Amino acid sequence: MFHKFLSWIRSVVNRLIPQKTVESATGMQVAVSRQMADAIDLWCRVYQDKAPWVDGETVKSMGLLPAMSGEVARLVTLELVSEITGSGRADYLEKQYAPVKKKLRQYTEYAVGKGGLVFKPYISGSEILVDMVQAESFFPTEYSSNGKISGAVFLEQKTQGDAIFTRLETHSLQPDGVHIANRAYKSTSGMDLGREVPLSQVPEWESLVPDATLKGAKGPLFAYFKMPFGNITEPGSPLGVSIAARAMKLMEEADRQYSRLLWEFEGGELAIDADGTFVKVDPNRPARFTMPKTVRRLFRSMNTSDDFYQVFNPAFRDVSLLNGLNQLLRRIEFSCGLSYGILSDPSEKELTATEIASSKQRLYTTVSEIQGTLQDALDDLIGAMDYWANFIPGVPQGSYQVSYQWDDSIITDLNTEKQLFLQEIRDGIRQRWEYRTRFFGEDESTAKRLAGED
C-alpha cells in the first residue's frame, strides 16, 4: 500500500479554489494574506501579458516582465555546471537530476517573474521525477522562524462529464516525519470544492491512500525556490516577490507611453482627404472602391463640396515620446536591480565609466543573489530526492556531494579581462601560468609546465 502511495506524488495544480475553502477543508491555516494573494495574481497576470491596465486598444503591452525575467534567468543559469558525485547513490541521483538541469532556465524565468517556485519530487517506477509548481499554484501553510516553508497544500482537478473533481494534497512536517494526506471532492464548478467523495471515483486516484506518514524525513519533501528581494507587499510573508514588484506602476506607465507612441504612428499616417469626385467607386457596389489597395488606404473620401483635396501629413512627435519611454524604462531597470540597456536603449544617453560600472554591479548583485537562493533550493531538492531513493529497489546506499560552478562574467567582459591579465603579466604582477589556468582551464602543474615556469 505504501508503494501505491508513492506512485502518485505528482500534482498538476491550479489556484482555482478560494483560500478560505481550502482552509475549511484541510483544517490548516494558509500562510498567505489577501494582500499577498492579490499581488501574486497581479504578477502572474502581467507575466502572462494580461495586465489589468492593458485593453488591447488604447493601452497595449510591451511585455516587459517576461522580457526581463527571461534575460535574468539566462544570466542566472548561463554556463551553470552542477554535478552530484561521490558514490553509486550519487550516480543514481545525478541521472535523476539531469532532466531538472535541462529545464532550469525555463523555470527560473517563471520564478523570477512570479516570485518563487516549488520543486516537488515524486517516484515513478524506478525513477524520481520532479514537478515544478509555479507561484500561483500552491498554498503554504507552515514555515519556520527563518522563513523556510515546511508545509503546503497542492491542488489537482479532473473533469468527467459535467462533474469537476478536486484533490487536495497536504504536506505537513511532524516530529516523526512528513504527513501527506489526500482528499477528493466533487462539484459542478471549478471554484467550489463541493462534497467529499472517495478517491476511487477518479481512476487516476483510486490507488491513493488518504493518509500516510513518511518516517525519517527530517524536512519537507519539496523545495521552495524563493526570490531574494525584499517583500514590500507583506514583509513577514515566507513567499518571495516578483523582480518587478517595486515597478508595477512604472510598468503600467511604460505600457501607456508605448501605446501613445504606437498611436502617434497610426494616427499620423499619411492620408489624402478628398471629395467623392477624386475617388472611383464601383457602380455595382457603391460602398466599395475599385482602386488598388494601397491607394484605398491613402485616400479618405469626404462628404463635402467638389474639388476638396487636402494632404494629411503631420509631423511626428516620436522623438519626444521615445525619450519619455526610455526614461521610464531606465527607472524600471533601476527599481528591478537591472543594468541600463536590458530594457532601455543603451545608445540614448552616453553614460560615464562610473555609471556603467555601477549599473553592471547592480545587475551582478541581483543575479548572484538569485543564484544563491537557487543553489539552496537545489540542495533541498536533492536531499528530498535522496530520501525518495530509499524506497526504490536496487538503488545503492552511499553519500553524495553536490558541486556548483556559476558564470561570473557579467561585470567584466572576457576580452577586457584577458587584456588586463596580459598587462599584469607584462608588469610582472602575474605569471604566464595564471593566464593559462584562468582562460584555458588547465590545472596549475600543467599550466606551469606549458608556460615554462615549473
Side-chain angles (χ1 to χ4, degrees), residues 174-178 213-217:
Q174 304 293 335
D176 57 344
V178 173
T213 298
L214 306 181
K215 303 287 186 179

Side-chain angles (χ1 to χ4, degrees), residues 21 23 32 41 74 79 81 98-99 114 176 226 250 253 291 362 401:
T21 303
E23 291 178 332
V32 181
D41 179 65
R74 183 186 71 84
E79 298 184 12
V81 178
K114 300 179 180 183
D176 57 344
K226 177 182 178 180
L250 289 171
E253 288 302 319
M291 59 185 63
R362 185 167 61 247
Q401 296 83 41

Side-chain angles (χ1 to χ4, degrees), residues 247-314:
M248 284 289 113
K249 293 181 180 179
L250 289 171
M251 291 173 66
E252 178 179 352
E253 288 302 319
D255 280 345
R256 293 185 184 280
Q257 181 73 358
Y258 172 66
S259 301
R260 294 185 190 103
L261 179 64
L262 294 180
W263 172 247
E264 181 71 15
F265 287 114
E266 183 178 348
E269 190 175 43
L270 177 65
I272 296 175
D273 297 320
D275 68 80
T277 61
F278 290 93
V279 181
K280 187 177 180 181
V281 179
D282 185 341
N284 298 318
R285 303 175 69 186
R288 301 295 293 271
F289 300 144
T290 60
M291 59 185 63
K293 181 178 180 181
T294 54
V295 180
R296 288 204 306 271
R297 180 176 177 180
L298 181 63
F299 274 84
R300 300 188 300 199
S301 180
M302 307 291 290
N303 184 19
T304 184
S305 59
D306 293 346
D307 298 326
F308 178 81
Y309 187 95
Q310 177 176 297
V311 176
F312 179 77
N313 187 23

